[in-house]
Amino acid sequence: MRSLFAFTAFLLLAGAVSLTDCPAQDNETPKSSPEALTVYSDAASFQNNGEFALSAEEWEKFLKEFPKDPLAPKARHYAGVCYLQLKAYDKAADHFETVLKADPKFELAEDAFLNLGWCRYSIQAEDRTETLTKAGEAFAALVRQFPKGKYTDQALFYLGEALYALKKKPEAIGAYRKLVDDHPKSSLRSDALYALGVTYEEEQEYAEAGAIYDLFLKEFADSALYTEVRMRKAETVLQAGDVEAAEKMFGEVAGVDGFVSADHAVFRQAYCAAKLEKLDEAGKLYAKLATDFPESTYLSDAIISAGRSFYRANDFANATTWFQKTIDAGRSDASEAAHWQCRIYLQNNEPAKAITLAQQQIPKAGESTFLVNLELDEADGLYAIPDRREDSLAGYLKIVSKHGDHELAAQALYNAAFTALEIGKYDDGLKHAAAFITKYSEDRFLPDTKYVAADCNLKLGKHEAAEAGYRDLLANHKEHAEYDSWRVRLGLVLYLQKKYEDAIAVLQETVKELKQPGQIAEGQFLLGASQFQLEQFEAAAQSLIAAIAAEPKWRQADETL
């Protein structure tokens, strides 16, 4: 939005009324009566002395008593001027409109069109559509009839203002542009450049806005708007993709003493820092905004943004400070802050705190988009406490039941399947995994869920189904981080089925490519055990020795020995 500043003062046409307005009293020109001239003179005198209310009364008296007088059009016009000065815009507009309808070529028509437009523009109402539209029509008429008139620049400017207020921004741009291009010496040039640049910016025509701002900065270095235009120029640079340059420009503007929008400049500087992954710096800038500008409209956003930035920088101590401020304030973003604070507690191995905070905030979350996050946080906290994992399973399933279409529902269902595997409820694990595979076949947790199903089958002794599951994983998800683990798992299920030759064929290649000592040890052990069963004792001994060498104290080291 544009700054609320006063544009160059509108030229109210309330100049002195001269008695030379009276027509010459010859035989060809209609004559005013002495009585009419007396009233006209009194009205003019009052107006010339700034007594606009008395003058308006006299003009109205003239119009009532001498409606056909040759001076009546001017009297009506000047009555309009008095009402305009008295801010009786409706009455003033009616007089100007009446004059122009009676004679569009009225000798003061240019003044009347400008004043009519201003009156309509100035009328305040809940719905200004009609008055602004009429204002625009008056200003446009002036431009058409007087393309090189003395008020054309003003008419163009306020035509742009009326169109802007009507949200007709492309049309407003046309008016401002014509003023800028055709009236380079206008006293409204700086205002027009500013308005044009802002309207371009709001229409997301950032290159055009930037060019206009450059022109403003070149021509009006002494303007009260100079610093704001520098800030707006920085925004166009940011939108053009030069984040680093924009960050520097916002920082320079933010440092200008007394700049009324310094908080906005700091806010955008912080945004740029975050965009550049300078997360600690971004956090400090958001914190500075919240500290130095406690009345800023960006205060709430700055507080939680400080928390987010410090969180992403793994500075959990500072993140906690700012998240807690948001939670304590009880604003609409408290649910989000609580969610991230729960994640901090979980990463710090403080699940009880995460559970407590989530349970406190869930009833307050209402329609917050972070309600499901908090419910998941609570369930994750329960999972992190071994003897409460059964409760976590219920929590995950509750999310799936209540929020099946939410983006976190798939993760909750995967977590339910995995938890069932962990607590030995293998049939439940298979059921939840099957539900996941049916409903979320494109989700990122699909391979992990397939693994849960395969392992549940393994635990239940359904070795053929487990083997099929591991082979599917190895064939279709080769880029997964657990790929090597699945290769070892396939070797295990083959060994358990006494498919020793198949196990040897798989494991001989696998152990060459494993990287983690524990996986190498298990792979070599299964290879050696399979070779032993086929009485390949020398090879078996070498494999078992390799298992101990890889990880002397792995979980089956005693059996290996």
Side-chain angles (χ1 to χ4, degrees):
M1 292 295 291
R2 300 197 306 207
S3 288
L4 297 177
F5 75 100
F7 282 121
T8 300
F10 187 83
L11 296 181
L12 296 174
L13 303 179
V17 183
S18 173
L19 290 181
T20 59
D21 286 335
C22 301
Q25 306 296 302
D26 56 37
N27 293 329
E28 301 297 325
T29 308
K31 297 178 180 179
S32 297
S33 67
E35 293 82 4
L37 289 173
T38 297
V39 176
Y40 190 93
S41 177
D42 288 343
S45 179
F46 284 132
Q47 183 168 334
N48 289 341
N49 288 302
E51 299 288 346
F52 299 113
L54 291 174
S55 181
E57 290 180 13
E58 289 299 302
W59 291 127
E60 294 290 11
K61 178 180 176 181
F62 183 97
L63 293 169
K64 182 178 179 181
E65 296 181 3
F66 312 104
K68 302 298 184 182
D69 190 273
L71 290 174
K74 285 188 175 180
R76 188 172 295 281
H77 173 80
Y78 287 129
V81 171
C82 289
Y83 285 128
L84 174 54
Q85 286 286 2
L86 295 168
K87 298 184 179 180
Y89 298 120
D90 281 315
K91 285 185 177 182
D94 289 343
H95 280 290
F96 295 130
E97 203 165 67
T98 300
V99 169
L100 291 167
K101 281 183 179 179
D103 182 8
K105 294 185 178 181
F106 169 56
E107 63 181 285
L108 296 176
E110 187 177 2
D111 299 19
F113 273 123
L114 187 64
N115 284 338
L116 173 58
W118 178 250
C119 289
R120 295 299 189 201
Y121 182 83
S122 301
I123 293 171
Q124 298 301 312
E126 187 172 341
D127 182 358
R128 299 181 67 205
T129 303
E130 183 180 357
T131 55
L132 288 170
T133 300
K134 288 184 176 181
E137 290 169 354
F139 292 130
L142 189 156
V143 173
R144 283 195 305 274
Q145 289 190 212
F146 304 96
K148 295 184 179 181
K150 56 185 176 180
Y151 304 127
T152 306
D153 60 333
Q154 289 192 65
L156 284 169
F157 181 78
Y158 284 100
L159 172 59
E161 290 293 274
L163 292 167
Y164 179 90
L166 288 167
K167 302 189 187 306
K168 295 181 178 181
K169 294 182 182 179
E171 293 88 343
I173 285 172
Y176 296 136
R177 185 93 239 184
K178 187 169 180 60
L179 169 54
V180 167
D181 292 344
D182 296 353
H183 301 271
K185 302 298 183 182
S186 171
S187 61
L188 287 167
R189 181 171 175 79
S190 66
D191 295 338
L193 284 170
Y194 174 85
L196 178 58
V198 172
T199 311
Y200 271 135
E201 187 180 343
E202 291 177 355
E203 286 293 280
Q204 299 183 5
E205 297 182 41
Y206 297 111
E208 291 82 356
I212 292 297
Y213 291 146
D214 285 338
L215 199 56
F216 184 103
L217 295 171
K218 179 181 179 182
E219 295 183 18
F220 298 102
D222 295 332
S223 170
L225 291 170
Y226 184 80
T227 303
E228 182 187 339
V229 172
R230 286 179 64 198
M231 181 178 72
R232 289 184 174 277
K233 173 62 181 179
E235 187 67 34
T236 66
V237 171
L238 172 60
Q239 295 298 334
D242 193 344
V243 183
E244 192 168 354
E247 180 195 20
K248 182 174 183 293
M249 293 169 73
F250 282 123
E252 290 171 351
V253 171
V256 174
D257 288 341
F259 178 43
V260 295
S261 296
D263 58 333
H264 178 82
V266 174
F267 192 71
R268 297 305 280 165
Q269 182 188 7
Y271 171 84
C272 292
K275 195 86 172 170
L276 293 166
E277 295 297 316
K278 293 156 49 171
L279 300 173
D280 183 65
E281 182 178 332
K284 290 176 180 176
L285 285 167
Y286 283 124
K288 172 182 172 60
L289 193 161
T291 303
D292 293 353
F293 303 94
E295 303 301 320
S296 172
T297 56
Y298 300 106
L299 180 64
S300 178
D301 286 339
I303 290 173
I304 194 165
S305 294
R308 290 191 198 112
S309 299
F310 285 128
Y311 178 85
R312 291 180 58 205
N314 293 320
D315 184 351
F316 295 146
N318 271 319
T320 294
T321 297
W322 293 98
F323 285 142
Q324 193 60 53
K325 287 180 183 292
T326 301
I327 295 167
D328 292 343
R331 289 186 288 260
S332 58
D333 49 9
S335 296
E336 180 187 353
H339 161 61
W340 295 120
Q341 187 57 47
C342 283
R343 302 322 295 180
I344 290 174
Y345 286 142
L346 291 170
Q347 290 185 64
N348 287 343
N349 196 28
E350 298 177 293
K353 289 185 178 180
I355 295 168
T356 299
L357 179 56
Q359 289 176 343
Q360 288 172 347
Q361 291 297 318
I362 287 171
K364 304 174 185 177
E367 298 298 318
S368 169
T369 55
F370 283 87
L371 170 62
V372 182
N373 298 76
L374 288 167
E375 291 178 342
L376 190 62
D377 295 334
E378 179 187 11
D380 286 347
L382 292 168
Y383 176 85
I385 301 173
D387 61 0
R388 299 204 65 184
R389 285 186 179 166
E390 187 112 17
D391 295 332
S392 79
L393 176 58
Y396 293 133
L397 294 175
K398 183 179 177 182
I399 292 170
V400 176
S401 174
K402 286 173 56 183
H403 313 285
D405 294 326
H406 192 275
E407 62 182 357
L408 292 175
Q411 182 177 344
L413 187 52
Y414 161 71
N415 287 357
F418 184 82
T419 303
L421 169 64
E422 288 287 290
I423 64 177
K425 292 191 170 185
Y426 306 123
D427 287 322
D428 286 346
L430 281 173
K431 180 177 71 174
H432 302 322
F436 183 104
I437 292 167
T438 299
K439 186 169 183 178
Y440 304 112
S441 59
E442 301 298 322
D443 190 83
R444 64 190 179 96
F445 285 102
L446 178 65
D448 303 275
T449 307
K450 285 182 177 180
Y451 168 74
V452 169
D455 246 33
C456 284
N457 278 319
L458 177 62
K459 298 293 186 180
L460 290 168
K462 299 178 180 180
H463 295 148
E464 289 185 4
E467 179 186 345
Y470 295 129
R471 289 192 182 279
D472 172 53
L473 286 166
L474 294 172
N476 296 305
H477 304 285
K478 294 181 180 180
E479 302 303 319
H480 196 280
E482 295 299 318
Y483 184 77
D484 286 345
S485 175
W486 299 338
R487 296 172 76 182
V488 175
R489 217 66 173 154
L490 176 60
L492 171 62
V493 78
L494 291 170
Y495 174 79
L496 293 174
Q497 292 178 87
K498 299 183 179 180
K499 296 181 180 180
Y500 301 124
E501 291 182 351
D502 290 346
I504 291 169
V506 167
L507 291 166
Q508 278 181 330
E509 293 304 313
T510 297
V511 295
K512 295 176 185 177
E513 299 173 6
L514 296 175
K515 299 178 179 61
Q516 295 184 19
Q519 289 180 349
I520 296 171
E522 184 173 3
Q524 291 285 10
F525 167 74
L526 291 170
L527 176 60
S530 298
Q531 292 165 334
F532 177 84
Q533 294 297 336
L534 294 178
E535 299 186 355
Q536 299 173 7
F537 300 124
E538 186 173 347
Q542 293 303 314
S543 298
L544 295 170
I545 290 170
I548 293 297
E551 184 60 76
K553 295 184 179 181
W554 78 289
R555 58 187 172 79
Q556 287 180 269
D558 56 343
E559 186 176 352
T560 306
L561 289 170

